[in-house]
């Protein structure tokens, strides 16, 4: 009712009243107010305010002030490149608080931010992002109990203040990202002193390019996160050991942590990795990405509770890194891209049903032999040996994706056809951009038609089919022996290959040829 009566006032009087508000510019205000009946306030729920766009700022402020039915504000981003007074920023944030803002972001290009006092009474704010911000002081007694998600990107603190002083104002935080932050653990607390903050509800912690100082900084940080479930460490540096050799008995590592991502992380020794993983008693998901900046020689991954493992070791060539030893008897999903290591050893993993393996190591017949219960297998193995021992049977394998980059891909395909009696679909595709250098090993037909061709194979998909002699022989053999084949799809750029494929004998009367 008050806003309705306010809108009935003459335009000149409204302008005079609004002139008492911050960021007033008469020409813009007059233009906006004069159009309020022709073009009612179109108040967005996702707003970005930039200080080089005065009209958008005033539309948000005056529209929120004058509108009779302003919708709840989902997100407000303040992108400011110039210096603004604390009162101006307080007014903009107060306007957002009045509209029940849920997400708030400050991009201040290195400018100083005084946390608006009105936020302490906001019960709807769930997410706060601070980027390129200088915080001189955290107000005493300031709290944001409703906040659940906090992102700090390139946030600096004045002397005497720290990340810890900021974190203590968010007692119910569940998701925290620290990116390009300096964190002095010894400044926060001594190794055995009471913590200055306690994140009793934090479930997910991301440490990205954080520069720690002090001993065992990650372990000491985790002491404040008793129910943490996800920990991501990405290119984080420390002058000392990040983790303690002996972890506290009540650490989240031993009780609640289920997901751990390590991206280019330095450890003091290979043994440190072993100790870390040994203490992760509930770990189910592990992701490891290696670059030239990490320093682990051999990753020994022995985690009985692990269900999902992803390894990427393909970005930088390292002549000094042998590879990985994996012992995870309850593993269900495995993904490895390792074009560098010369050593991969798998323990017995009977629970793995899905695996994506791209590796160049040329050492072991026990490469995929431990995956005897596999159902979905994607394999790129330019090795000179069959990557499993003779007599191995993949009885449960139903879907195979095989890379045709190696010189002996056809021989490997023949071996798997013989050893996977229930295979239902085959996809052939070259994943590698560089061609193989070894002499091509020609296709040799199995002496007995494999059981999977006689009883189960239904789908054949062949990407980048070039119609070479090798490929023609393989295609003709599958089409001529796959009794229940329903569809054969070939991706080729030449019409001659299509004509030749159409002429090939097909034993399945229901097989449909598709060309792409």
């Amino acid at each position: 009712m008050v806003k309705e009566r306010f809108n009935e006032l003459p335009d000149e009087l409204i302008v005079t009243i609004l002139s008492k508000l911050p960021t007033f510019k008469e020409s813009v205000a007059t233009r906006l107010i004069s159009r309020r009946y022709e073009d009612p306030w179109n108040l967005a729920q996702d707003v970005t305010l930039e200080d080089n766009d005065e009209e958008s700022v005033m539309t948000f402020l005056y529209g929120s002030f004058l509108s009779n039915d302003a919708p709840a504000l989902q997100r407000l981003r303040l992108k400011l490149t110039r210096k603004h007074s604390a009162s101006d920023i307080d007014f903009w944030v107060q306007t957002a608080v009045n509209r029940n803002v849920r997400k708030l972001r400050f991009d201040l290009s290195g400018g100083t931010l005084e946390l608006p006092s009105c936020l302490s009474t906001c019960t709807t704010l769930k997410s706060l992002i601070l980027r390129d911000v200088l915080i001189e002081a955290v107000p005493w007694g300031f709290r944001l109990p409703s906040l659940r998600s906090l992102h700090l990107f390139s946030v600096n603190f004045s002397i005497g203040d720290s990340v810890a002083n900021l974190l203590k104002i968010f007692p119910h935080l569940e998701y925290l990202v620290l990116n390009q932050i300096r964190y002095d653990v010894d400044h926060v607390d001594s190794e055995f002193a009471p913590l200055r903050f306690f994140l009793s509800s934090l479930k997910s912690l991301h440490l990205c390019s954080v520069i720690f100082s002090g001993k065992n900084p990650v372990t000491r940080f985790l002491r404040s996160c008793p129910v943490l479930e996800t920990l991501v460490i990405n290119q984080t540096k420390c002058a000392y050991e990040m983790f303690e050799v002996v972890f506290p008995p009540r650490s989240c590592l031993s009780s609640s942590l289920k997901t751990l991502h390590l991206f280019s992380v330095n450890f003091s020794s290979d043994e440190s990795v072993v100790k870390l993983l040994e203490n992760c008693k509930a770990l189910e998901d592990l992701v490891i990405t290696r670059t030239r900046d990490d320093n682990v020689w051999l990753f020994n991954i022995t985690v009985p509770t692990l269900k999902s493992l992803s390894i990427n070791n393909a970005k930088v060539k390292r002549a000094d890194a042998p590879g990985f030893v994996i012992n995870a008897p309850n593993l269900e999903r495995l993904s490895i891209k390792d074009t560098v290591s010369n050593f991969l050893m798998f323990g017995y993993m009977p629970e793995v049903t899905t695996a994506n393996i791209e590796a160049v190591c040329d050492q072991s017949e026990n490469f995929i032999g431990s995956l005897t219960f596999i159902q979905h297998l994607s394999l790129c193995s330019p090795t000179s040996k069959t990557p499993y021992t003779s007599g191995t049977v993949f009885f449960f394998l139903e879907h195979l994706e095989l890379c045709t980059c190696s010189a002996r891909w056809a021989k490997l395909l023949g071996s798997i056809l013989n050893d996977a009696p229930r295979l239902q679909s085959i996809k052939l595709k070259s994943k590698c951009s560089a061609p193989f250098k070894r002499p091509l090993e020609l296709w040799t037909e199995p002496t007995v038609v494999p059981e999977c061709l006689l009883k189960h194979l239904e789908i054949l998909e062949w990407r980048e089919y070039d119609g070479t002699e090798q490929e023609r022989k393989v295609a003709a053999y599958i089409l001529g022996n796959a009794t229940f084949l329903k569809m054969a799809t070939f991706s080729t750029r030449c019409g001659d290959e299509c004509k030749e494929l159409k002429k090939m004998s097909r034993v399945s009367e229901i097989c449909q040829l598709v060309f792409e």
Side-chain angles (χ1 to χ4, degrees):
M1 180 66 71
V2 174
K3 289 185 177 181
E4 291 178 358
R5 292 180 178 178
F6 186 84
N7 277 314
E8 294 174 359
L9 297 175
D11 291 355
E12 295 79 4
L13 183 54
I14 294 178
V15 170
T16 301
I17 296 174
L18 294 180
S19 67
K20 307 300 182 182
L21 302 178
T23 63
F24 174 77
K25 191 169 184 178
E26 184 174 354
S27 60
V28 179
T30 302
R31 183 167 67 255
L32 293 174
I33 293 170
S34 65
R35 299 201 317 248
R36 70 185 185 278
Y37 296 115
E38 302 170 5
D39 182 21
W41 302 107
N42 183 19
L43 296 177
Q45 298 183 54
D46 190 336
V47 177
T48 297
L49 300 183
E50 301 185 49
D51 50 13
N52 59 0
D53 186 356
E54 294 176 334
E55 183 157 340
S56 67
V57 174
M58 296 182 69
T59 298
F60 166 71
L61 295 176
Y62 299 161
S64 299
F65 185 67
L66 296 173
S67 177
N68 296 319
D69 54 353
L73 189 61
Q74 292 299 316
R75 186 183 79 106
L76 173 63
R77 178 185 181 187
L78 291 175
K79 189 176 181 181
L80 310 178
T81 59
R82 300 195 298 265
K83 185 176 181 179
H84 294 268
S85 67
S87 60
D88 283 356
I89 295 177
D90 284 352
F91 181 72
W92 297 337
V93 174
Q94 180 66 67
T95 303
V97 170
N98 292 341
R99 287 181 54 185
N100 298 322
V101 64
R102 292 183 58 84
K103 299 178 181 180
L104 183 60
R105 173 169 177 165
F106 292 90
D107 292 330
L108 300 189
S109 301
T112 301
L113 174 66
E114 294 183 18
L115 293 173
S117 58
C118 60
L119 289 178
S120 62
T121 61
C122 182
T123 59
T124 59
L125 186 65
K126 303 299 181 184
S127 174
L128 177 62
I129 299 176
L130 305 181
R131 188 182 188 97
D132 291 327
V133 169
L134 172 64
I135 296 180
E136 290 190 345
V138 177
W140 179 259
F142 189 89
R143 290 291 183 272
L144 282 177
S146 65
L147 201 74
R148 298 294 183 266
S149 175
L150 176 65
H151 296 234
L152 302 181
F153 296 88
S154 299
V155 176
N156 294 310
F157 296 84
S158 61
I159 298 176
D161 229 318
S162 66
V163 177
N165 283 339
L166 183 64
L167 292 180
K168 68 183 180 182
I169 72 176
F170 311 114
H172 301 301
L173 205 60
E174 296 178 359
Y175 185 90
L176 174 61
V177 176
L178 301 181
N179 193 328
Q180 300 180 41
I181 298 288
R182 290 185 175 273
Y183 192 92
D184 186 350
V185 177
D186 291 330
H187 176 73
V188 174
D189 62 309
S190 65
E191 193 162 357
F192 304 101
L195 296 168
R196 292 173 61 180
F197 64 93
F198 190 69
L199 304 176
S200 60
S201 302
L202 193 68
K203 300 292 185 64
S204 182
L205 172 62
H206 294 239
L207 304 174
C208 308
S209 300
V210 177
I211 299 178
F212 282 107
S213 61
K215 295 182 179 180
N216 306 318
V218 176
T219 302
R220 292 162 68 180
F221 194 106
L222 295 180
R223 287 166 55 196
S224 68
C225 313
V227 298
L228 191 71
E229 297 178 356
T230 299
L231 174 61
V232 177
I233 306 178
N234 186 352
Q235 294 183 331
T236 290
K237 298 181 180 180
C238 178
Y240 301 95
E241 178 69 65
M242 283 192 190
F243 299 94
E244 291 179 281
V245 176
V246 179
F247 292 84
R250 296 184 180 181
S251 167
C252 63
L253 294 177
S254 61
S255 58
S256 61
L257 192 72
K258 295 182 178 180
T259 300
L260 176 63
H261 293 197
L262 302 174
F263 297 88
S264 186
V265 178
N266 274 312
F267 290 87
S268 62
S269 65
D270 292 3
E271 183 66 19
S272 296
V273 180
V274 175
K275 291 294 184 182
L276 170 62
L277 297 179
E278 281 182 353
N279 280 276
C280 296
K281 304 297 185 181
L283 192 64
E284 297 181 357
D285 178 23
L286 176 62
V287 177
I288 297 175
T289 300
R290 302 196 65 180
T291 71
R292 63 184 179 184
D293 295 323
D294 61 39
N295 61 345
V296 178
W297 194 65
L298 177 66
F299 262 97
N300 191 330
I301 302 170
T302 301
V303 186
T305 58
L306 202 63
K307 294 183 178 180
S308 176
L309 173 62
S310 177
I311 294 173
N312 188 335
N313 190 27
K315 292 186 176 182
V316 180
K317 292 186 177 180
R318 296 172 55 99
D320 62 333
F324 299 85
V325 175
I326 301 172
N327 290 293
N330 291 301
L331 198 68
E332 298 174 359
R333 298 174 299 278
L334 173 64
S335 177
I336 296 180
K337 184 176 183 180
D338 189 345
T339 59
V340 179
S341 301
N342 55 20
F343 184 82
L344 278 175
M345 180 178 289
F346 295 168
Y348 185 50
M349 295 182 286
E351 301 298 324
V352 174
T353 58
T354 302
N356 187 336
I357 301 174
E358 180 179 347
V360 298
C361 64
D362 191 11
Q363 93 293 339
S364 176
E365 290 186 346
N366 191 26
F367 189 26
I368 60 171
S370 61
L371 309 179
T372 52
F373 287 80
I374 192 75
Q375 297 177 17
H376 300 254
L377 174 62
S378 177
L379 179 62
C380 177
S381 175
T383 173
S384 61
K385 300 178 183 178
T386 300
Y388 57 90
T389 56
S390 176
T392 302
V393 178
F394 300 98
F395 186 76
F396 298 96
L397 183 61
E398 297 179 348
H399 306 280
L400 171 67
E401 180 176 338
L402 183 63
C403 183
T404 58
C405 68
S406 73
R408 63 178 313 280
W409 69 267
K411 186 175 181 180
L412 179 57
L413 175 62
S415 297
I416 296 177
L417 289 177
N418 281 322
D419 299 327
R422 298 175 60 180
L423 196 63
Q424 297 179 13
S425 71
I426 298 173
K427 181 177 182 179
L428 302 175
K429 178 183 179 181
S430 179
K431 292 183 176 182
C432 306
S433 57
F436 48 79
K437 297 180 181 180
R438 295 171 180 166
L440 184 67
E441 296 186 25
L442 296 179
W443 162 261
T444 302
E445 290 187 3
T447 55
V448 178
V449 178
E451 182 179 344
C452 65
L453 296 184
L454 294 174
K455 296 182 179 181
H456 297 289
L457 192 70
E458 298 180 350
I459 303 295
L460 171 64
E461 182 180 354
W462 199 321
R463 297 292 170 183
E464 301 164 4
Y465 179 84
D466 293 326
T468 63
E469 180 184 0
Q470 176 93 304
E471 293 177 344
R472 291 197 306 270
K473 288 183 177 181
V474 174
Y477 183 79
I478 295 177
L479 292 175
N481 290 281
T483 309
F484 293 95
L485 194 65
K486 295 180 179 179
M487 181 176 293
T489 302
F490 292 87
S491 175
T492 179
R493 293 175 291 180
C494 183
D496 293 339
E497 278 75 21
C498 297
K499 294 178 182 179
E500 194 165 357
L501 287 166
K502 289 179 180 179
K503 294 178 182 179
M504 291 181 182
S505 174
R506 280 172 278 165
V507 67
S508 173
E509 297 180 354
I510 61 173
C511 179
Q512 179 183 359
L513 278 181
V514 177
F515 300 100
E516 296 179 349

